[in-house]
Amino acid sequence: MAASGGSPSPTTSSATSASSLATLALTPNGTNPPPSWWESVTKARSAILSLSSLLPSSVAATVSSLADSDRPALSLLSSSAAYGSVSLSLSSSSVSGSGSDPICHWLYDTYLSSDPDLRLIVLSFLPLISSLYLSRLPSPSSPLSGFEAVILAIYSSEVKSRGGRPLLVSVPDLSLPSLYHTPPKPAQVNHPKSPRSPTKIKLTPPPQPSVSVLSAPLEPQIAVKSTKRASILGACFDTYYSKISQMPSCSKVDLCEIIANWGGQFCPCRFELDENQHNFDPLLSSPSSSSSIEVKHLGDKPDTCSLPVDNVSKEIGALQIREGDRHCNQGEDNGSDMSVGTGTRLKPGTRVPLPWELLQPLLRILGHCLLAPLNSNEVKDAASAAIRCVYARASHELMPQAILASRSLIQLDKSARDAAKATSMSVGAQNSAAGSNVTTPTKQRLQEVMMGSK
């Protein structure tokens, strides 16, 4: 693996080093047969021992001990201590992100191996690598060739796996009663005057599902150009999404926090849908509104005299047009940046451009983190905070696709949390009822106790 030196290098040398590393990533290694069990274990142990030699001595012993397990690669993948140690070394090293960064060397060489479990380890660090890479782009003197080499290696494998084909999604015809409904073929009807000559009915073909393109065909790249940066990172996160069920929780939580920081919209607008859930219309919440309906003709003025002054001012204030900077305090929330339903405090991060090529796979990842049943509550809470930041960002920048997707995910998140809360309350009520039945003596039992005492 070529190195460009630890000192800050110009952009040209960084691009040259990244292109040379990406050329190696384009070599056809996907045709190699999968390694045997013993070969896979041997490669994983060698990779873990090599990684432990790059880490500080305080954590090297903990990481090297993972090589003695039956499945060392998966042990390293699920170890939160090893993940934190590698993340700290990757972000705080003096040569972090450069072509001479040993952690980037290890990630690059490990991803080029034919062992799928080792490749999962590299994918788990994609959120951190992308965050560090995008945060250092404004500084022209920052070395980025090491990060770019790892990103291009993941991108090249995605290009190879697609084989020049786009990612398609099939949307069924919503006019049918169900997704699995097939319209019956109409029978031939005999004419009453000539029963022997049946009338031919023109059979209409069943409606076909519409096919949409999720991602266009990818082209091989040897450098991360500014015009292709969003599509390259989006393709990398497509790879991450395809393996997301095998990603550790620490990687998912990091990605959710990074997405919230990328959105950078920590304003009250992100709680807009949650506030609407608790707001109510005073005209419809009165006791008489449920039993009687008042019919008003077009042109009648609303009767505001019967309403309290506070309610009228509230209704009028809800209709006013508020400027984004004044209403949201320029993206700040006066320090109250707490996520919904959690005690986690969102840390300020780098706000980056979010084109649809990059935002689309991130929204799918957030959907998995929100709704997958096996995810921990920490992952769901981090995703809940992140999707609200994305919704606020999309609302401010008027991105229709992002508004629709993020709004739908917020509604699904609220429905899932309400259902879980209702289930827990019902289970708690049943347990309390069962406990009271066991501990509370019945009338017959009291009579038996009194007879025994006599």
Side-chain angles (χ1 to χ4, degrees):
M1 178 178 176
S4 62
S7 60
S9 58
T11 307
T12 55
S13 61
S14 175
T16 305
S17 177
S19 62
S20 61
L21 295 173
T23 304
L24 295 176
L26 293 173
T27 55
N29 59 355
T31 58
N32 297 336
S36 61
W37 175 81
W38 180 248
E39 183 182 357
S40 176
V41 170
T42 304
K43 286 184 177 180
R45 288 178 176 175
S46 176
I48 292 176
L49 294 177
S50 175
L51 176 63
S52 63
S53 64
L54 305 176
L55 299 176
S57 57
S58 57
V59 295
T62 304
V63 175
S64 61
S65 62
L66 300 175
D68 300 330
S69 61
D70 295 335
R71 306 186 69 179
L74 294 181
S75 299
L76 178 61
L77 179 66
S78 58
S79 174
S80 57
Y83 180 86
S85 302
V86 175
S87 300
L88 183 61
S89 300
L90 190 63
S91 57
S92 60
S93 174
S94 59
V95 292
S96 173
S98 65
S100 60
D101 187 355
I103 302 296
C104 290
H105 276 257
W106 185 88
L107 292 172
Y108 178 84
D109 295 334
T110 303
Y111 196 79
L112 293 185
S113 65
S114 56
D115 190 355
D117 293 337
L118 289 176
R119 294 162 70 94
L120 290 176
I121 298 173
V122 181
L123 278 180
S124 66
F125 292 100
L126 177 63
L128 178 61
I129 293 174
S130 303
S131 176
L132 294 174
Y133 174 69
L134 293 179
S135 63
R136 298 178 185 179
L137 278 176
S139 178
S141 60
S142 298
L144 301 173
S145 58
F147 291 153
E148 291 179 348
V150 179
I151 291 173
L152 286 174
I154 300 174
Y155 174 80
S156 300
S157 71
E158 180 68 14
V159 172
K160 189 186 309 178
S161 64
R162 292 192 191 182
R165 298 182 299 272
L167 286 181
L168 304 178
V169 58
S170 179
V171 181
D173 189 4
L174 300 181
S175 63
L176 299 179
S178 68
L179 299 177
Y180 308 100
H181 178 76
T182 302
K185 297 181 179 180
Q188 293 181 345
V189 181
N190 295 332
H191 198 273
K193 295 183 179 179
S194 55
R196 296 184 179 179
S197 58
T199 304
K200 296 183 179 180
I201 300 178
K202 185 178 180 181
L203 302 178
T204 58
Q208 299 295 327
S210 59
V211 179
S212 302
V213 178
L214 277 180
S215 178
L218 301 177
E219 300 177 355
Q221 304 289 337
I222 61 174
V224 184
K225 300 179 181 179
S226 59
T227 56
K228 299 291 184 180
R229 185 178 295 122
S231 60
I232 290 175
L233 289 176
C236 292
F237 281 110
D238 281 330
T239 306
Y240 185 94
Y241 177 74
S242 65
K243 305 292 183 182
I244 193 172
S245 60
Q246 301 171 276
M247 291 291 105
S249 298
C250 51
S251 177
K252 295 179 184 179
V253 171
D254 274 359
L255 180 55
C256 293
E257 294 179 353
I258 288 169
I259 294 175
N261 294 335
W262 283 351
Q265 203 69 43
F266 301 104
C267 60
C269 290
R270 69 185 192 274
F271 301 128
E272 177 182 339
L273 299 180
D274 301 288
E275 292 173 355
N276 290 340
Q277 185 182 13
H278 302 288
N279 288 343
F280 57 91
D281 188 355
L283 293 174
L284 301 178
S285 60
S286 59
S288 60
S289 61
S290 58
S291 57
S292 62
I293 301 177
E294 182 181 0
V295 180
K296 293 186 178 182
H297 298 283
L298 183 65
D300 292 348
K301 296 182 179 180
D303 185 13
T304 58
C305 298
S306 59
L307 294 176
V309 178
D310 294 339
N311 291 341
V312 175
S313 60
K314 184 186 297 184
E315 291 299 314
I316 296 177
L319 299 176
Q320 68 180 354
I321 300 177
R322 296 169 294 188
E323 297 181 5
D325 293 343
R326 294 182 180 178
H327 173 57
C328 299
N329 298 325
Q330 296 181 355
E332 299 177 357
D333 197 12
N334 298 328
S336 60
D337 49 354
M338 304 297 291
S339 58
V340 177
T342 69
T344 305
R345 188 178 183 86
L346 295 175
K347 296 175 290 186
T350 305
R351 179 187 174 105
V352 299
L354 292 176
W356 185 244
E357 296 85 359
L358 176 59
L359 187 57
Q360 185 192 69
L362 295 179
L363 288 171
R364 282 186 279 153
I365 293 172
L366 288 179
H368 169 87
C369 295
L370 281 172
L371 305 174
L374 298 181
N375 284 334
S376 62
N377 290 332
E378 184 183 7
V379 174
K380 294 180 180 180
D381 293 341
S384 178
I387 194 60
R388 283 163 172 80
C389 292
V390 173
Y391 172 74
R393 171 75 176 271
S395 300
H396 279 262
E397 297 189 359
L398 301 180
M399 298 184 289
Q401 294 173 312
I403 292 175
L404 179 61
S406 58
R407 187 185 182 95
S408 301
L409 288 177
I410 292 175
Q411 298 291 352
L412 291 173
D413 175 48
K414 293 195 300 183
S415 301
R417 291 178 182 272
D418 292 342
K421 183 178 180 180
T423 302
S424 63
M425 292 178 63
S426 62
V427 171
Q430 292 177 1
N431 293 337
S432 61
S436 63
N437 292 336
V438 173
T439 57
T440 304
T442 60
K443 183 177 181 181
Q444 182 179 2
R445 179 63 178 169
L446 287 174
Q447 293 177 356
E448 294 176 357
V449 171
M450 294 175 64
M451 292 292 293
S453 62
K454 292 180 181 180

